[in-house]
């Protein structure tokens, strides 16, 4: 067949398969649509029947019982089956080709006894109790129908009519007798509601539409065939024939055709004709290439034969040079003796034509064989004497080369030659000895380098493992060697913009004792100084001068140890000792003074009742006011001396700060100041006494209100989690003048105050310090654009109570 015929056949088969596929798809779609519509209609009928039965069982029948005696029963109003059949038959469903049946097994009315088909459906419901509805297309009375059915199971109220005959209403017994429809039990499957919709004609229409679609598709396919034949001849066949004509014209023999004057007729398949011509042309080209290659090989053999004798000696020299170059490269790249020997022995074996090469260490440990699976003969009995003497030994099949430097013997190198091949005497003895000497030097240097690198790695690991800052500097403070903590500390004290390597230690690194190379080198003991960073950390810096040869740069070891924790612990210890001492003094003083003040207040009250002179009453008021003020001071002293035990239960920080902000916002507005509250998005809980923490924060807010400028000040109350998520942090900041640096170490001391006389006792921050200490927290003061107080408390994860879960 021609190319066009094969193309049209394949195209016809493909289009036919595509048409059949679309016809099947159309049929399936129409069938699914029919089944969906029919299912909807049947479901509506079943739902209507179920609604009628539910109404009779739940509304009509109970209502009738309220008007009738217990033994009376009206079938037309109280039987669900009777009422359902009557109403559904009155709808004229049979005229609409929709059949409704309510049947039962051992039905009371024989007209509604289930037939064999209906019993089969009931068996499916009985086999699967979870099955509540069947909807499918099936055969019924030799007719294809859509079936929708649901089971009918007896409920306890139904046993009044379907239980024992003696309990049934007389009206039922008189009408149907006592033989059928009795002795049922609750939950029993007794029948089913069934809707049958014939779908045979609709399925026939679907088949007709499918056949019509295939017919139209066949007509369209025929038209497509005619159009393709017209265009295929003009676009494909004509161009392929032009290619064939070109091949025949320029390559008449290779293309399988005679010259143009004696041209043979073309075959039916244009592609096959072009393929045959090109294949013939390729065969001819392949034969020509093989002839040329064969000629080239013969020429090369002749040239090689004439030059082999002259090139052999030059090749030997080049091989020796290449061997020493490879050995030098191996020596430079090897890191261990095994790696060096594992690369060197194959090179020696290939160069000299040996079938195996063996290195025997003088100590008997660390020997290497190439190749590994070679059969190694026993060494000569005098191999240790050969190593000691350093003399080379040559036999018929083996050469023993001592591996030694000028004064140290490291082992022996054995090269074994096969029976058919080069012999040990075919190479110069000086070459063997040079190889042994070079290998010994390489092994010796490699051992020295490995030892030095191991020591350097050990020192580097020790140096980097030191957690404190440690650095080696010259007399210009330039860092020669430093661990990571030293670099971090130098960057924190210096300018990050100039932190390119190498960089110098900034002068601030040496704290209160400046770096002086001449003075440092003259000292016999380490020079100590202290530095403090902006974040509050402090370090003790020690400088050790190193001994340097004359005319060499001087070097110094700088070591820093952080003592922030120790300093803070000492400050807290001193503060605690002050609080204890002042507390004891305050307790004794308060007890001695409080009683006389109480007597003064009492007698003042008695005098007020017996004096009517206004001037005297005014004087008594002054006495009482000052006595009460003195008692308040004493009460503060007692609270300071004997603080109540702090509770460590969970405290809602967000709620506490919100309440305080609402209270102090009024005072801030009175001073024309801003009180800003910043809280985390999630609730924050801490182990703290809520009342004690409220007293501490209130004291700090009062101090902040006194410090800020009226009409322009801002106070910020903030709560957040610490970086490690283990603590709750509360900060109280203001933009006032701040705390003088000279007062920072003393602000938590008892009776220390910067307020005017009469405006403060100096106990507020001392009491706050004690309360935070009792709750397991800390309080710190800083200057950051104003005063900044930081409260830190242990954080507590709140667990919801059972009420929250409900």
């Amino acid at each position: 067949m021609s190319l066009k015929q094969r193309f049209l056949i394949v195209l016809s088969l493909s289009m036919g398969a595509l048409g059949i596929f679309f016809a099947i798809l159309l049929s399936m779609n129409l069938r699914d649509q029919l089944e969906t519509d029919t299912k909807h209609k049947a479901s509506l009928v079943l739902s209507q029947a179920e609604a009628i039965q539910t109404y009779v069982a739940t509304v009509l029948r109970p209502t009738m019982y309220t008007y009738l005696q217990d033994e009376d029963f009206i079938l037309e109003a109280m039987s669900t089956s009777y009422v359902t059949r009557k109403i559904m038959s009155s709808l004229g469903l049979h005229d609409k080709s929709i059949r409704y049946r309510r049947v039962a097994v051992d039905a009371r009315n024989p007209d509604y006894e289930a037939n064999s088909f209906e019993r089969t459906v009931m068996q499916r419901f009985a086999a699967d109790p979870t099955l509540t509805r069947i909807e499918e297309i099936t055969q019924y009375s030799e007719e294809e129908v859509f079936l929708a059915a649901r089971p009918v199971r007896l409920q306890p109220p139904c046993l009044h009519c379907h239980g024992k005959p003696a309990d049934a209403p007389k009206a039922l017994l008189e009408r149907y007798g006592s033989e059928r429809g009795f002795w049922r039990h609750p939950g029993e499957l007794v029948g089913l509601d069934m809707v049958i919709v014939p779908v045979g004609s609709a399925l026939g229409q679907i088949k007709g539409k499918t056949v019509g679609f295939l017919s139209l598709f066949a007509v369209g396919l025929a038209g497509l065939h005619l159009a393709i034949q017209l265009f295929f001849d003009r676009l494909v066949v004509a161009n392929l024939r032009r290619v064939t004509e070109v091949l025949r014209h320029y390559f008449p023999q290779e293309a399988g055709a005679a010259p143009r004057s004696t041209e043979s007729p073309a075959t039916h398949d244009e592609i096959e004709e072009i393929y045959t011509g090109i294949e013939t042309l390729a065969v001819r080209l392949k034969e020509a290439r093989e002839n040329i290659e064969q000629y080239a090989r013969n020429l090369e053999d002749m040239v090689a034969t004439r030059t082999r004798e002259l090139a052999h000696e030059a090749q030997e020299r080049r091989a020796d040079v290449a061997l020493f170059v490879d050995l030098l490269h191996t020596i430079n790249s090897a890191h261990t003796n095994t790696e060096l020997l594992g690369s060197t022995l194959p090179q020696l074996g290939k160069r000299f034509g040996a079938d195996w090469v063996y290195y025997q260490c003088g100590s008997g440990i660390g020997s290497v064989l190439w190749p590994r699976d070679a059969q190694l003969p026993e060494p000569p009995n005098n191999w240790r004497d050969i190593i000691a003497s350093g003399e080379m030994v040559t036999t018929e099949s083996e050469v023993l080369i001592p591996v030694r430097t000028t004064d140290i013997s490291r082992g022996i190198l054995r090269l074994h030659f096969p029976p058919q091949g080069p012999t040990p005497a075919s190479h110069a003895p000086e070459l063997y000895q040079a190889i042994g000497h070079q290998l010994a030097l390489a092994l010796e240097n490699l051992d020295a380098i490995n030892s030095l690198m191991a020591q350097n790695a050990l020192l580097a690991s020790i140096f980097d493992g030191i957690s404190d800052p440690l650095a080696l500097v010259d007399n210009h403070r330039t860092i020669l060697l430093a661990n990571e903590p030293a670099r971090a500390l130098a960057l924190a004290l210096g300018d990050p913009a100039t932190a390119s390597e190498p960089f110098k230690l900034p002068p601030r690194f040496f704290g209160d004792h400046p770096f002086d190379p001449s003075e440092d080198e003259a000292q016999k003991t380490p020079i100590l100084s202290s530095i403090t960073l902006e974040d509050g950390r402090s370090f003790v810096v020690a400088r050790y001068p190193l001994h340097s040869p004359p005319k060499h740069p001087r070097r110094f070891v700088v070591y820093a140890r952080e003592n922030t924790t120790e300093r803070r612990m000492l400050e807290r210890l001193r503060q605690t000792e002050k609080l204890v001492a002042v507390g004891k003094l305050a307790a004794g003083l308060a007890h001695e003074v409080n009683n006389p003040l109480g007597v003064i207040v009492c007698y003042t009250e008695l005098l007020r009742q017996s004096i009517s002179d206004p001037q005297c009453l005014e004087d008594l008021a002054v006495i009482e006011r000052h006595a009460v003020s003195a008692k308040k001071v004493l009460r503060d002293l007692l609270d300071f001396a004997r603080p109540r035990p702090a509770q460590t239960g969970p405290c809602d920080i967000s709620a506490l700060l919100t309440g305080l902000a609402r209270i102090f916002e009024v005072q801030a507005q009175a001073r024309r100041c801003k009180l800003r509250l910043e809280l985390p998005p999630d609730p924050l809980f801490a182990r703290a006494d809520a009342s004690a923490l409220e007293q501490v924060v209130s004291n700090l807010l009062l101090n902040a209100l006194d410090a800020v400028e009226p009409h322009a000040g801002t106070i910020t109350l903030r709560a957040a989690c610490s970086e490690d998520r283990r603590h709750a942090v509360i900060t109280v900041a203001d933009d006032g003048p701040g705390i003088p640096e000279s007062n920072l170490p003393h602000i938590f001391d008892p009776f220390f105050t910067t307020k005017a006389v009469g405006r403060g006792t100096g106990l507020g921050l001392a009491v706050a310090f004690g309360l935070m200490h009792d709750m397991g927290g800390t309080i710190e003061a800083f200057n950051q654009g104003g005063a900044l107080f930081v409260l830190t408390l242990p954080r507590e994860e709140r667990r919801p109570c059972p009420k929250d879960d409900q």
Side-chain angles (χ1 to χ4, degrees):
M1 292 185 292
S2 66
L3 175 65
K4 181 176 69 175
Q5 292 173 343
R6 287 187 291 175
F7 175 75
L8 292 176
I9 290 174
V10 174
L11 181 62
S12 301
L13 294 176
S14 301
M15 296 297 292
L18 187 63
I20 294 173
F21 170 75
F22 280 117
I24 295 173
L25 187 64
L26 176 63
S27 176
M28 293 175 61
N29 187 27
L30 294 175
R31 187 181 179 92
D32 291 341
Q33 185 65 33
L34 173 63
E35 186 173 353
T36 301
D37 295 341
T38 308
K39 183 187 298 183
H40 180 66
K41 295 178 182 179
S43 298
L44 289 177
V45 174
L46 282 180
S47 299
Q48 184 176 6
E50 186 177 2
I52 295 171
Q53 296 166 8
T54 302
Y55 177 77
V56 172
T58 60
V59 178
L60 189 56
R61 184 190 298 164
T63 304
M64 295 297 295
Y65 274 126
T66 59
Y67 294 99
L68 300 176
Q69 298 295 330
D70 293 341
E71 66 275 5
D72 294 336
F73 188 82
I74 299 176
L75 183 66
E76 291 78 1
M78 301 173 69
S79 172
T80 58
S81 300
Y82 187 89
V83 174
T84 303
R85 292 190 184 102
K86 286 296 182 182
I87 294 176
M88 297 302 291
S89 62
S90 66
L91 295 177
L93 297 177
H94 292 284
D95 297 338
K96 300 178 181 179
S97 300
I98 298 178
R99 308 170 192 173
Y100 170 79
R101 281 181 58 81
R102 181 178 175 89
V103 299
V105 177
D106 192 20
R108 182 173 283 124
N109 188 343
D111 294 338
Y112 303 109
E113 181 69 25
N115 56 29
S116 59
F117 176 80
E118 293 162 346
R119 289 175 181 270
T120 302
V121 177
M122 290 179 61
Q123 290 176 1
R124 293 172 62 182
F125 285 114
D128 187 3
T130 61
L131 185 62
T132 60
R133 181 166 291 191
I134 294 176
E135 295 176 336
E136 61 184 12
I137 295 178
T138 183
Q139 292 289 332
Y140 180 71
S141 299
E142 298 182 356
E143 181 183 10
E144 196 164 12
V145 299
F146 180 83
L147 171 66
R150 68 178 186 86
V152 177
R153 302 181 186 273
L154 289 183
Q155 303 298 324
C158 300
L159 298 182
H160 180 64
C161 298
H162 296 278
K164 298 178 181 179
D167 299 334
K170 294 180 180 181
L172 291 178
L173 296 176
E174 292 174 357
R175 186 162 185 170
Y176 296 111
S178 60
E179 299 298 328
R180 301 174 64 87
F182 292 101
W183 304 106
R184 306 291 191 181
H185 55 83
E188 181 181 1
L189 177 64
V190 298
L192 54 84
D193 285 331
M194 184 172 65
V195 175
I196 297 176
V197 182
V199 295
S201 60
L203 292 177
Q205 294 177 1
I206 292 175
K207 293 179 181 178
K209 291 181 179 179
T210 304
V211 173
F213 172 79
L214 286 176
S215 301
L216 291 176
F217 191 84
V219 173
L221 183 61
L224 180 63
H225 268 259
L226 294 176
I228 290 176
Q229 287 182 5
L230 294 176
F231 287 101
F232 194 85
D233 288 338
R234 296 180 62 86
L235 298 178
V236 179
V237 176
N239 292 325
L240 290 178
R241 286 177 178 173
R242 290 176 61 191
V243 174
T244 305
E245 292 297 331
V246 171
L247 289 175
R248 287 175 177 175
H249 178 70
Y250 290 101
F251 306 97
Q253 296 180 355
E254 287 77 4
R260 181 174 295 273
S261 58
T262 59
E263 184 177 2
S264 61
T267 61
H268 289 289
D269 193 343
E270 295 79 3
I271 296 294
E272 184 67 26
E273 184 178 357
I274 295 174
Y275 173 77
T276 303
I278 293 177
E279 183 180 19
T280 304
L281 178 63
V283 171
R284 299 291 178 85
L285 292 176
K286 180 180 179 181
E287 293 176 355
R289 185 183 65 181
E290 290 177 351
N291 293 333
I292 293 174
E293 291 178 351
Q294 182 64 34
Y295 178 77
R297 284 195 295 270
N298 294 335
L299 183 61
E300 289 177 356
D301 292 339
M302 289 186 294
V303 173
T305 302
R306 295 179 61 86
T307 59
R308 185 177 296 111
E309 292 81 5
L310 298 177
H312 179 70
E313 185 176 356
Q315 184 178 0
E316 289 290 332
R317 303 290 77 80
R318 288 195 299 269
D320 294 339
V321 174
L323 174 63
F324 277 95
V325 171
D326 293 340
L327 290 178
L328 181 61
H329 177 71
T330 301
I331 292 170
N332 293 332
S333 60
H335 297 87
T336 63
N337 293 347
T338 303
E339 184 178 352
L340 173 64
L341 295 171
S343 301
T344 302
L345 298 188
Q347 296 175 0
L348 296 177
K350 294 176 182 179
R351 167 63 185 90
F352 296 113
D355 56 356
W356 57 263
V357 183
Y358 181 67
Y359 171 76
Q360 178 70 46
C361 183
S363 61
I365 302 175
S367 301
V368 179
L369 173 66
W370 176 85
R372 295 182 179 180
D373 56 350
Q375 297 294 329
L376 182 66
E378 293 294 330
N381 297 329
N382 61 340
W383 68 275
R384 293 187 182 275
D385 297 335
I386 296 174
I387 294 176
S389 63
E391 297 293 335
M392 186 179 65
V393 177
T394 302
T395 63
E396 295 181 356
S397 62
E398 190 175 0
V399 58
L400 285 76
I401 306 172
V403 179
R404 62 175 296 152
T405 57
T406 304
D407 52 355
I408 298 177
S409 296
R410 303 189 62 88
I412 188 173
L413 186 65
R414 299 172 57 189
L415 277 72
H416 186 274
F417 295 86
Q420 302 296 330
T423 61
S426 60
H427 303 283
E430 294 79 6
L431 180 60
Y432 292 137
Q433 292 179 351
I435 291 175
H437 183 72
Q438 188 68 28
L439 186 59
L441 289 176
L443 292 173
E444 184 176 351
N445 294 337
L446 193 59
D447 289 342
I449 292 174
N450 289 336
S451 177
L452 181 60
M453 292 180 62
Q455 293 180 4
N456 289 339
L458 178 61
L459 292 177
S461 61
I462 294 174
F463 187 81
D464 292 336
I466 298 175
S467 59
D468 292 331
L470 182 64
L472 177 66
V473 300
D474 60 9
N475 55 348
H476 300 293
R477 293 183 286 107
T478 301
I479 294 179
L480 304 177
L481 183 64
N483 59 2
E484 194 60 32
R487 294 179 179 273
L489 182 57
L491 291 175
L493 292 171
D495 183 6
T498 60
S500 59
E501 294 208 12
F503 62 94
K504 297 182 179 181
L505 289 179
R508 290 183 56 201
F509 195 96
F510 303 99
D512 53 3
H513 200 297
F515 180 75
D516 186 352
S518 300
E519 181 182 351
D520 288 1
E521 191 173 17
Q523 295 288 338
K524 296 182 179 180
T525 58
I527 300 176
L528 302 178
S529 58
S530 60
I531 56 175
T532 303
L533 303 183
E534 286 75 4
D535 57 2
R537 292 186 299 162
S538 62
F539 292 84
V540 175
V541 181
R543 304 197 298 271
Y544 304 86
L546 299 179
H547 177 71
S548 302
K551 298 182 180 180
H552 279 74
R554 290 172 291 181
R555 297 183 177 184
F556 302 85
V557 174
V558 181
Y559 170 74
R561 181 177 63 85
E562 185 175 0
N563 62 344
T564 307
T565 304
E566 299 175 7
R567 182 174 57 82
R568 291 180 178 177
M569 289 179 62
L570 291 176
E571 291 177 358
R572 292 178 182 176
L573 180 60
R574 287 195 295 269
Q575 182 68 19
T576 303
E577 291 175 352
K578 291 179 182 180
L579 292 176
V580 171
V582 175
K584 292 180 179 179
L585 175 62
L589 181 61
H591 282 293
E592 294 297 333
V593 180
N594 195 32
N595 291 332
L597 289 175
V599 173
I600 292 172
V601 173
C602 179
Y603 276 91
T604 302
E605 184 64 28
L606 293 176
L607 288 174
R608 181 182 291 109
Q609 298 175 3
S610 61
I611 296 176
S612 59
D613 185 5
Q615 182 62 41
C616 294
L617 291 175
E618 185 178 351
D619 295 338
L620 286 175
V622 173
I623 295 173
E624 184 180 16
R625 184 171 64 254
H626 285 281
V628 171
S629 178
K631 286 177 67 66
K632 181 179 181 302
V633 174
L634 291 175
R635 184 170 63 253
D636 291 342
L637 288 174
L638 288 176
D639 291 341
F640 172 73
R642 297 177 301 179
R644 59 181 179 177
Q647 303 295 326
T648 58
C651 175
D652 190 345
I653 301 297
S654 300
L656 186 143
L657 297 185
T658 301
L660 287 177
R662 190 179 300 113
I663 294 172
F664 281 90
E665 187 175 2
V666 178
Q667 301 183 37
Q669 291 177 356
R671 292 180 57 87
R672 302 292 191 274
C673 300
K674 294 182 181 179
L675 177 58
R676 186 168 56 190
L677 177 64
E678 297 180 4
L679 299 176
D682 298 327
L684 181 61
F685 291 86
R687 293 197 297 272
D689 186 348
S691 60
L693 183 59
E694 183 177 356
Q695 180 180 351
V696 173
V697 179
S698 299
N699 187 284
L700 296 178
L701 289 174
L702 288 173
N703 291 343
L705 286 172
D706 292 339
V708 297
E709 292 290 337
H711 306 283
T714 300
I715 300 173
T716 302
L717 181 60
R718 182 184 296 109
C721 287
S722 61
E723 293 182 358
D724 57 2
R725 310 289 298 177
R726 297 171 58 185
H727 296 84
V729 180
I730 302 173
T731 58
V732 181
D734 61 67
D735 56 358
I739 305 171
E741 293 294 335
S742 59
N743 293 341
L744 274 177
H746 309 290
I747 61 172
F748 295 111
D749 292 347
F751 305 109
F752 178 83
T753 180
T754 58
K755 296 181 180 179
V757 178
R759 295 192 59 187
T761 60
L763 292 176
L765 292 180
V767 173
F769 183 89
L771 290 175
M772 292 299 295
H773 181 269
D774 293 338
M775 288 186 289
T778 60
I779 178 171
E780 296 178 291
F782 304 95
N783 279 324
Q784 187 175 340
L788 173 66
F789 287 87
V790 181
L791 309 179
T792 305
L793 290 166
R795 184 166 173 259
E796 180 169 300
E797 294 290 344
R798 180 174 179 265
R799 298 180 180 176
C801 62
K803 292 183 179 179
D804 294 338
D805 294 337
Q806 296 175 358

